[in-house]
Amino acid sequence: MASPNLTSSLRETRVFPPPAEFAARAHVQNFAQYQALYQQSVSEPDRFWAGVARELHWFHAPEQGLDWDQAASRVRWFADGTLNMSDNCIDRHVAGGRGEHTALVWEGEPGEVRALSFRELLLEVGRCSSMLRALGVAKGDRVAIYMGTTPEVAIAMLACTRIGAVHSVVFGGFAPQAIADRILDADCRVVLTQDGTYRRGTEIPLKRSVDEALRQCPSVRSVVVFRRTGSPVAMEPGRDLWWHEQMAGAEPLCPPEPLGAEDPLFILYTSGTTGKPKGLVHTNGGYAVQTYLTTRLVFDLHPDDIFWCTADVGWITGHSYVLYGALQNGVTTLLYEGAPNCPDPGRFWQLIDRHRVTAFYTAPTAIRAFMQWGPGYPRAARLDSLRVLGTVGEPINPEAWMWYHSEIGRGRCPVADTWWQTETGAHMLAPLPGAIPTKPGSATLPFPGIVPAIVTKAGEPVPAGHGGLLVIRKPWPSIARTIWGDHARYVQTYWAEVPGSYFSGDGARQDDDGYFWLMGRVDDVINVSGHRLGTMEIESALVAHPRVAEAAAVGKTHQLKGQAISVFVTLEAGARPSPELREELRSWVAREIGSLARPDDVRFVQALPKTRSGKIMRRLLRELAEHGEIKGDTTTLEDFAGLAKMREGDEA
Ligand code: PRX
């Protein structure tokens, strides 16, 4: 578990009340209002969420609230209602007279800027919907999207939701094997991609990765390629089509399809402890309602806000906040294609000034990088448009929180540390910035409607100040409903560990004020720069290498990334450890999964330490990765056999 944050946060006593000026115009203006709202939300959850739902447009307004079959771990919300996400993100605002307001501003890494009003977005999304229909995509079909950050990725996602197709966005950093696994698991027949994208001045050839992935996916019949960089790409006749050619002939008027609140909206894959990545399924109604409300209250959005969430759309934060939360609220959302330090580490601050960003949402790993680059870069910018800051992805150390608050927020802007997950769909713990005093390093208190608890494995509450498992007692609207094709795994992972409650996989403690302090994962998931990687995935990639016999991956503290990956491998008979093989294995994992999975270190061992039952003693490996010295000669074999014998019976 991420102990450095725990030890520093245990000593943390600073409290920052909401700035008076901010609170005066906030949706929720003081702590008493938050308490009243929270109280109402948990005592009458159906009524509370129905009130929020009414702020959206429904073709058929729901009368039902939560329908929870506990025995089967089946959750439904607003099940008798019908609505459409793209309708709520676009048409509703055009109909309300805000068609000329800017919906989306995009800046490419080389510096180009494009803006689309809600009316323009409506036409583009309409065209893209017609294009998908012409390709034979129907309601319920899965569409894979492997694109960079362009307006087109937003258009593609919204177009899927408009016709009821289920998108599966695959992060552009994933390698061909990871793309293929995801396409096959969801049985996608159509893939939307682009030639390439720019990152730190170089082009990442996205189409090439798709081509490689598709060698394993014979059932993909169409690939639509958006031209971003203009670099030459291979186009397979009969399968590959140019986006601009297909869009040119497509009908821009495409009415949104009324969809059942419980129809699937998208699948998003995330890593688990065991087995292949899990395709979490989010549905239309509950997800729309909760992403709408959390964006509105946590960033305290008003019609003229300019919202910038720096997450890639390939992650849940990109889905819920870059796109759906922001657009449902009718505000302008900013998309930036490239790296924060291109052409120099001041890029983000220049973007904020240039586009007059009012709400900024990023990750602790980025904040720590900014700190390392020095205060000169943000100090060279005005940053006077900012009103509120957010952070997400991993526990934020109080030092980074303070730096963010003073250097970026200039002490004026409340900082919202938001705890949530791919599975939760939307914020679970977060301050409402006009109402809840913040403490550096704490995600503060539950969002209205959320009932968290910290418990023992048996589900017993633990007293304040003690660490335990973070669970949520009751389903909320945006909870993932299942794992695509594997409901049993969903039940096992989330509802069986602590019977009766949703189990998050995180450890946390509450302080005497009831504030939550996250302590990191309690399972074998490694959080690298706010991205989840399962140890199992890394290990299977390694054992697929011809010279590797066995492998174990663990996380270790890393100053910038939060956690880095350390792997221990045993080699096949006849294979010899060498610095070259170490480098080869690091690149191998990056090639199999994606560069964010590249291990920081690879250690060759004679045997992995195991318990009598054959379980790898990860705790031991974690200790070694964290504190053990790497001996002078990096090819030295470590002999765990004796050690393992001594500790037999010790569970990892
Ligand atoms: O361990 C928690 C950590 O990220 C995990 C969820 O990862 P993912 O599904 O990829 O979603 C990331 C974006 C929502 C959690 O189980 N995590 C996320 N936000 C925080 C956090 N840990 C501490 N504080 C946070 N604010």
Side-chain angles (χ1 to χ4, degrees):
M1 271 200 273
S3 45
N5 186 47
L6 178 64
T7 38
S8 49
S9 64
L10 274 171
R11 279 181 267 119
E12 185 55 56
T13 52
R14 289 170 286 202
V15 180
F16 292 85
E21 215 182 309
F22 186 97
R25 70 183 287 255
H27 294 300
V28 183
Q29 304 190 323
N30 55 54
F31 196 67
Q33 276 182 17
Y34 160 73
Q35 281 180 308
L37 189 67
Y38 184 76
Q39 213 43 55
Q40 189 236 328
S41 74
V42 294
S43 59
E44 294 181 282
D46 281 357
R47 193 152 151 222
F48 171 78
W49 289 113
V52 181
R54 272 196 292 277
E55 294 177 31
L56 301 180
H57 176 245
W58 296 75
F59 297 104
H60 183 276
E63 277 170 26
Q64 296 173 17
L66 170 64
D67 167 13
W68 183 20
D69 176 349
Q70 259 185 284
S73 303
R74 295 263 175 208
V75 175
R76 286 148 44 100
W77 279 90
F78 318 117
D80 58 334
T82 61
L83 79 170
N84 184 284
M85 178 58 102
S86 85
D87 176 52
N88 275 298
C89 285
I90 317 171
D91 307 48
R92 188 163 64 89
H93 308 305
V94 175
R98 283 173 59 84
E100 305 320 315
H101 192 78
T102 305
L104 196 151
V105 178
W106 170 82
E107 188 168 310
E109 193 182 75
E112 324 88 307
V113 173
R114 276 170 65 195
L116 278 93
S117 66
F118 281 98
R119 190 182 306 286
E120 288 165 331
L121 187 60
L122 180 63
L123 296 178
E124 289 298 304
V125 170
R127 260 191 209 103
C128 187
S129 307
S130 303
M131 167 178 93
L132 291 172
R133 283 219 169 111
L135 293 173
V137 178
K139 182 181 160 185
D141 289 350
R142 276 81 56 208
V143 173
I145 300 179
Y146 184 74
M147 299 176 79
T149 304
T150 47
E152 279 65 25
V153 75
I155 292 165
M157 291 165 76
L158 287 160
C160 287
T161 72
R162 198 163 182 87
I163 63 171
V166 179
H167 61 62
S168 166
V169 182
V170 180
F171 168 58
F174 276 123
Q177 188 56 49
I179 307 172
D181 290 344
R182 285 157 178 76
I183 289 178
L184 290 169
D185 186 70
D187 191 19
C188 300
R189 306 293 170 95
V190 170
V191 179
L192 307 177
T193 187
Q194 61 188 61
D195 47 6
T197 185
Y198 295 111
R199 181 108 195 146
R200 215 161 284 122
T202 56
E203 181 175 345
I204 298 171
L206 298 172
K207 172 65 162 63
R208 201 194 297 160
S209 296
V210 169
D211 289 340
E212 208 177 313
L214 293 194
R215 286 197 216 124
Q216 295 176 51
C217 311
S219 51
V220 169
R221 57 169 195 268
S222 312
V223 178
V224 185
V225 187
F226 169 65
R227 188 179 268 157
R228 155 70 183 123
T229 60
S231 297
V233 291
M235 295 292 278
E236 185 163 310
R239 188 196 70 184
D240 298 357
L241 304 160
W242 283 109
W243 172 286
H244 58 271
E245 289 175 5
Q246 300 303 304
M247 288 284 276
E251 167 59 49
L253 286 181
C254 179
E257 178 99 19
L259 300 171
E262 284 300 324
D263 284 343
L265 177 68
F266 64 81
I267 302 174
L268 188 59
Y269 287 83
T270 190
S271 299
T273 313
T274 53
K276 56 181 188 176
K278 304 172 281 199
L280 290 156
V281 179
H282 282 283
T283 54
N284 279 278
Y287 179 84
V289 169
Q290 199 171 334
T291 51
Y292 163 74
L293 187 71
T294 51
T295 319
R296 182 177 164 80
L297 297 189
V298 173
F299 301 106
D300 193 52
L301 293 184
H302 298 271
D304 290 328
D305 272 307
I306 313 235
F307 180 68
W308 184 21
C309 167
T310 67
D312 189 281
V313 286
W315 304 109
I316 191 68
T317 310
H319 285 54
S320 300
Y321 295 101
V322 174
L323 200 58
Y324 297 124
L327 293 183
Q328 284 192 96
N329 276 281
V331 302
T332 304
T333 187
L334 175 67
L335 280 82
Y336 168 58
E337 179 183 38
N341 54 351
C342 185
D344 65 56
R347 184 65 183 266
F348 272 18
W349 322 126
Q350 295 149 16
L351 271 147
I352 289 175
D353 279 358
R354 185 152 49 245
H355 301 290
R356 308 300 296 152
V357 170
T358 58
F360 178 65
Y361 191 24
T362 195
T365 184
I367 298 168
R368 289 189 295 262
F370 303 143
M371 288 170 76
Q372 214 176 48
W373 293 331
Y377 293 101
R379 285 184 193 167
R382 288 163 61 193
L383 303 183
D384 57 340
S385 55
L386 289 173
R387 291 201 312 112
V388 57
L389 304 175
T391 154
V392 61
E394 57 182 300
I396 182 164
N397 43 314
E399 296 69 28
W401 194 103
M402 287 303 298
W403 188 91
Y404 196 31
H405 183 259
S406 59
E407 293 294 339
I408 308 306
R410 307 269 157 93
R412 270 187 302 109
C413 306
V415 174
D417 176 4
T418 62
W419 176 85
W420 60 295
Q421 312 176 289
T422 306
E423 294 84 345
T424 70
H427 300 154
M428 297 279 107
L429 304 174
L432 304 189
I436 298 181
T438 51
K439 303 184 185 186
S442 169
T444 73
L445 296 171
F447 190 80
I450 308 305
V451 191
I454 295 179
V455 299
T456 62
K457 273 195 168 158
E460 297 296 327
V462 304
H466 290 259
L469 309 175
L470 176 58
V471 299
I472 316 283
R473 296 292 199 191
K474 284 182 179 168
W476 56 98
S478 64
I479 185 175
R481 303 296 194 257
T482 190
I483 292 173
W484 182 261
D486 197 350
H487 194 67
R489 189 175 176 201
Y490 172 83
V491 176
Q492 186 56 39
T493 313
Y494 305 112
W495 296 101
E497 289 282 331
V498 179
S501 292
Y502 166 85
F503 174 57
S504 67
D506 280 342
R509 69 179 177 89
Q510 264 179 297
D511 65 18
D512 292 334
D513 298 326
Y515 277 48
F516 287 81
W517 299 81
L518 273 297
M519 294 155 60
R521 303 287 307 187
V522 296
D523 56 14
D524 292 327
V525 168
I526 307 177
N527 187 328
V528 180
S529 303
H531 301 313
R532 271 157 72 174
L533 290 163
T535 50
M536 182 62 190
E537 255 175 301
I538 301 162
E539 290 159 9
S540 355
L542 282 165
V543 296
H545 187 282
R547 289 206 259 164
V548 173
E550 264 196 313
V554 296
K556 65 167 193 179
T557 310
H558 185 277
Q559 235 196 330
L560 280 187
K561 298 192 271 194
Q563 281 192 295
I565 301 166
S566 261
V567 303
F568 295 81
V569 296
T570 62
L571 297 178
E572 290 287 356
R576 308 204 130 269
S578 68
E580 293 72 35
L581 182 58
R582 171 174 296 119
E583 276 319 300
E584 189 181 319
L585 293 179
R586 293 181 67 226
S587 310
W588 173 271
V589 176
R591 210 162 42 240
E592 290 286 302
I593 304 174
S595 52
L596 67 97
R598 185 191 301 272
D600 270 38
D601 43 69
V602 175
R603 304 175 73 163
F604 298 109
V605 295
Q606 219 120 44
L608 291 172
K610 289 186 185 162
T611 61
R612 208 187 307 251
S613 60
K615 223 172 131 199
I616 294 171
M617 292 159 77
R618 287 176 193 283
R619 187 168 6 114
L620 209 69
L621 295 178
R622 271 196 292 265
E623 273 168 28
L624 193 75
E626 199 78 64
H627 311 294
E629 287 170 13
I630 302 202
K631 310 246 165 61
D633 175 11
T634 46
T635 61
T636 312
L637 289 177
E638 269 153 308
D639 178 9
F640 280 125
L643 189 58
K645 254 189 222 116
M646 280 163 52
R647 304 272 287 261
E648 240 169 0
D650 188 2
E651 287 298 310

